[in-house]
Amino acid sequence: MYLSRFLSLHTLWVTVSSVMQHYPSVWGHYDVCKTQIYTEEGKVWDYMACQPEARDMIKYVKVTLDPPDITCGDPPETFCAMGNPYMCNNECDASTQELAHPPELMFDLEGRHPSTFWQSTTWKDYPKPLHVNITLSWNKTIELTDNIVITFESGRPDQMILEKSLDYGRTWQPYQYYATDCLDAFHMDPKSVRDLSQHTVLEIICTEEYSTGYMTNSKIIHFEIKDRFAFFAGPRLHNMASLYGQLDTTKKLRDFFTITDLRIRLLRPATGEIYVDEQHLARYFYAISDIRVYGRCKCNLHATGCKEENKRLLCECEHNTTGPDCGKCKKNYQGRPWSPGSYLPIPKGTANICIPSISSIGTFVTTSTISEHQQMLAFENLIGKLKYLLNNGELKGCIVDLFVFYTGMPTCVTTSSCTARTAGPASTTCAASARRPTRASCARSCAASGSRAAAAAARPRGGRRPGPRLAADCARPRGNGTKPGVRHWNP
């Protein structure tokens, strides 16, 4: 009765909310975690999947360089002009602000003239390789939403690898290879993202599209996020519902666009020619004026906000979840295992909220101070917890009877968990457990376990099934002499 009525109410919620709830004009924003709607029971919460808005993530980044002394200026040195590689009278000096090029200039606001940029030492130790690792760390799981863009003030490197980490820099996987000659540098055939498809969207490619030496109008390197999204959402990303559906059902696809860290591995500076001019090594270096990374905090569809606290990003979790990524249920809300939210069905998704555990629900009775809607939710939560306890052999006595009564599921439990009800052998106990109990058997079982109130509540009343009062009394700890109480709570 209660389960069927719960399903009926759920159908009503969906119908009413589809008419009354205002959604963003573009599906897929998921910028509301819950809203109040009106039903026959009055105002109730309608929960939805939700996520933070995308933002410029560079403002929260921590950058490290390897080797740490690779930045030019200590000691001061001269280098060749970027527009004219044979004019080698420019100076880098870390002790002078106007001549210094520290790493933070990769992330400052552009607009100054000339542009501000980080710069490495020159290739003065040729033929020893000029290798630099630039690591960007957020100490937080990030979901990329736009292209990664790197703007070079030097020529774009002849060889470079963009890598990602999903475990805070402990392990790394390649995102994309860049080279003037992919076959020679990485033993890979050159490709572009346009050569991929839905089935090969996760392929790691080497591209020659962004490695073209000293060309004044060619400073930018892309890692194309949106072009990969377009395989599912269309060329103009007009069908985000399709993309979110794919992200929801394909974990590898979702993980592909998820990072905790990025690493730019610069392996060979731009030469603009086949051979290195050993007479003018001051021509060769790396210089980056801007890095752009757009994304959102990953909150497992349980938050619309992300705040910075003690120099660390944390999701502002809802749905009774907690943790940096809303990755677990709050204390007393572990009535079922934690689960991430779901993008489906579009446009609201599924919240998969954490529900109260039995110990936090306490006892509940049919009373005018608790709405029928709240009773339904509380009883559903109780049944969910009972299923878990039953599977682990922890249910006793009349709780087993009630569970089988309401669900109609044949149940077999161990002898140890049935001792409050029967002293028979295991086979007899399991056979008894598998029978659908009658109202009278529930009453006898509860009475045998010492619950007079439950036994009284279970007395036949016109052939109706036992109500929540019986479930409360059977679940309530014995020996304290207290009566069933009422706990007010919001689902």
Side-chain angles (χ1 to χ4, degrees):
M1 176 177 67
Y2 282 92
L3 290 178
S4 62
R5 293 196 64 185
F6 172 81
L7 294 176
S8 299
L9 282 174
H10 179 71
T11 304
L12 178 61
W13 297 341
V14 173
T15 304
V16 172
S17 61
S18 65
V19 175
M20 301 186 64
Q21 175 63 30
H22 171 72
Y23 295 112
S25 58
V26 179
W27 283 5
H29 282 191
Y30 298 94
D31 55 357
V32 178
C33 287
K34 63 182 180 181
T35 185
Q36 283 191 324
I37 61 173
Y38 291 90
T39 69
E40 291 179 347
E41 300 297 317
K43 284 184 179 181
V44 297
W45 286 115
D46 186 25
Y47 293 94
M48 294 163 281
C50 52
Q51 63 187 5
E53 287 291 324
R55 63 175 81 174
D56 181 2
M57 300 306 300
I58 284 298
K59 63 179 67 176
Y60 307 105
V61 76
K62 176 185 177 183
V63 60
T64 56
L65 300 182
D66 182 30
D69 60 350
I70 196 64
T71 300
C72 71
D74 186 17
E77 63 179 309
T78 58
F79 61 95
C80 302
M82 285 166 273
N84 186 341
Y86 293 98
M87 291 181 61
C88 300
N89 58 355
N90 293 285
E91 186 176 3
C92 179
D93 185 351
S95 64
T96 305
Q97 183 176 0
E98 292 78 10
L99 302 177
H101 298 281
E104 54 264 28
L105 295 184
M106 289 186 278
F107 313 112
D108 65 332
L109 294 176
E110 291 297 327
R112 290 170 50 191
H113 297 284
S115 297
T116 56
F117 53 90
W118 163 81
Q119 184 174 311
S120 74
T121 59
T122 60
W123 205 357
K124 56 190 175 184
D125 294 329
Y126 179 85
K128 180 182 176 180
L130 184 59
H131 288 177
V132 182
N133 288 341
I134 303 172
T135 303
L136 312 180
S137 302
W138 284 272
N139 198 24
K140 174 76 180 73
T141 309
I142 304 297
E143 295 174 326
L144 299 174
T145 59
D146 206 336
N147 293 352
I148 297 170
V149 181
I150 307 169
T151 303
F152 284 84
E153 288 300 315
S154 62
R156 296 184 293 192
D158 283 354
Q159 296 176 17
M160 184 188 109
I161 307 174
L162 181 65
E163 298 178 324
K164 61 169 283 189
S165 175
L166 261 174
D167 54 11
Y168 305 95
R170 287 187 288 271
T171 61
W172 295 91
Q173 302 86 42
Y175 242 164
Q176 193 151 295
Y177 296 87
Y178 301 82
T180 53
D181 188 332
C182 286
L183 194 59
D184 178 65
F186 302 115
H187 309 290
M188 300 172 68
D189 292 325
K191 285 186 178 181
S192 72
V193 175
R194 294 182 294 274
D195 298 321
L196 302 178
S197 66
Q198 282 192 13
H199 301 294
T200 61
V201 68
L202 303 183
E203 181 181 346
I204 308 302
I205 66 172
C206 178
T207 179
E208 297 176 358
E209 192 171 351
Y210 301 107
S211 304
T212 52
Y214 282 92
M215 293 180 63
T216 57
N217 62 341
S218 301
K219 295 183 176 183
I220 296 175
I221 283 181
H222 285 263
F223 178 68
E224 304 92 339
I225 297 290
K226 283 191 171 181
D227 286 350
R228 287 172 168 81
F229 285 167
F231 290 122
F232 306 99
R236 297 184 180 179
L237 304 183
H238 62 279
N239 187 7
M240 292 300 289
S242 175
L243 172 63
Y244 281 123
Q246 291 293 330
L247 291 173
D248 200 75
T249 56
T250 310
K251 185 178 185 299
K252 288 184 177 180
L253 181 65
R254 187 168 62 250
D255 287 348
F256 185 81
F257 300 110
T258 303
I259 63 170
T260 59
D261 305 77
L262 283 172
R263 185 163 68 183
I264 304 167
R265 294 183 59 195
L266 304 173
L267 304 180
R268 181 182 173 93
T271 61
E273 44 192 51
I274 297 176
Y275 300 103
V276 174
D277 183 356
E278 297 184 41
Q279 302 302 315
H280 298 88
L281 292 177
R283 295 172 53 190
Y284 310 119
F285 54 89
Y286 307 107
I288 297 177
S289 63
D290 192 42
I291 300 177
R292 296 183 185 180
V293 179
Y294 281 87
R296 62 169 57 93
C297 293
K298 180 180 179 181
C299 300
N300 289 295
L301 297 179
H302 289 312
T304 58
C306 193
K307 63 182 178 181
E308 190 174 17
E309 188 174 293
N310 297 325
K311 296 184 178 180
R312 184 180 184 186
L313 286 172
L314 299 172
C315 295
E316 298 179 287
C317 300
E318 300 201 39
H319 299 161
N320 303 321
T321 62
T322 188
D325 300 341
C326 307
K328 60 182 180 180
C329 293
K330 286 182 178 179
K331 184 180 179 181
N332 297 329
Y333 286 90
Q334 298 168 348
R336 63 183 175 199
W338 174 90
S339 178
S342 170
Y343 287 113
L344 301 175
I346 299 291
K348 295 197 318 176
T350 304
N352 290 330
I353 66 172
C354 291
I355 63 176
S357 52
I358 281 185
S359 59
S360 65
I361 293 174
T363 57
F364 59 96
V365 297
T366 303
T367 175
S368 60
T369 60
I370 299 180
S371 71
E372 187 173 357
H373 166 71
Q374 289 177 308
Q375 291 181 47
M376 297 297 174
L377 288 178
F379 194 70
E380 182 202 31
N381 297 343
L382 182 62
I383 289 297
K385 185 65 175 178
L386 292 179
K387 288 181 180 179
Y388 173 81
L389 295 175
L390 179 65
N391 291 335
N392 289 273
E394 299 178 14
L395 292 182
K396 299 180 184 296
C398 62
I399 298 298
V400 175
D401 288 335
L402 282 169
F403 177 77
V404 178
F405 188 95
Y406 278 108
T407 62
M409 298 171 58
T411 307
C412 183
V413 294
T414 62
T415 302
S416 60
S417 61
C418 293
T419 52
R421 179 168 45 138
T422 177
S427 59
T428 304
T429 299
C430 290
S433 301
R435 294 196 300 269
R436 184 180 179 88
T438 64
R439 186 178 188 83
S441 69
C442 283
R444 287 195 302 272
S445 181
C446 289
S449 61
S451 174
R452 296 181 179 179
R459 293 188 189 114
R461 299 175 183 172
R464 295 186 301 171
R465 297 181 182 180
R469 185 189 303 273
L470 178 58
D473 287 338
C474 289
R476 177 166 57 84
R478 308 299 177 208
N480 58 9
T482 60
K483 296 181 180 180
V486 177
R487 180 183 294 265
H488 297 275
W489 58 286
N490 290 322

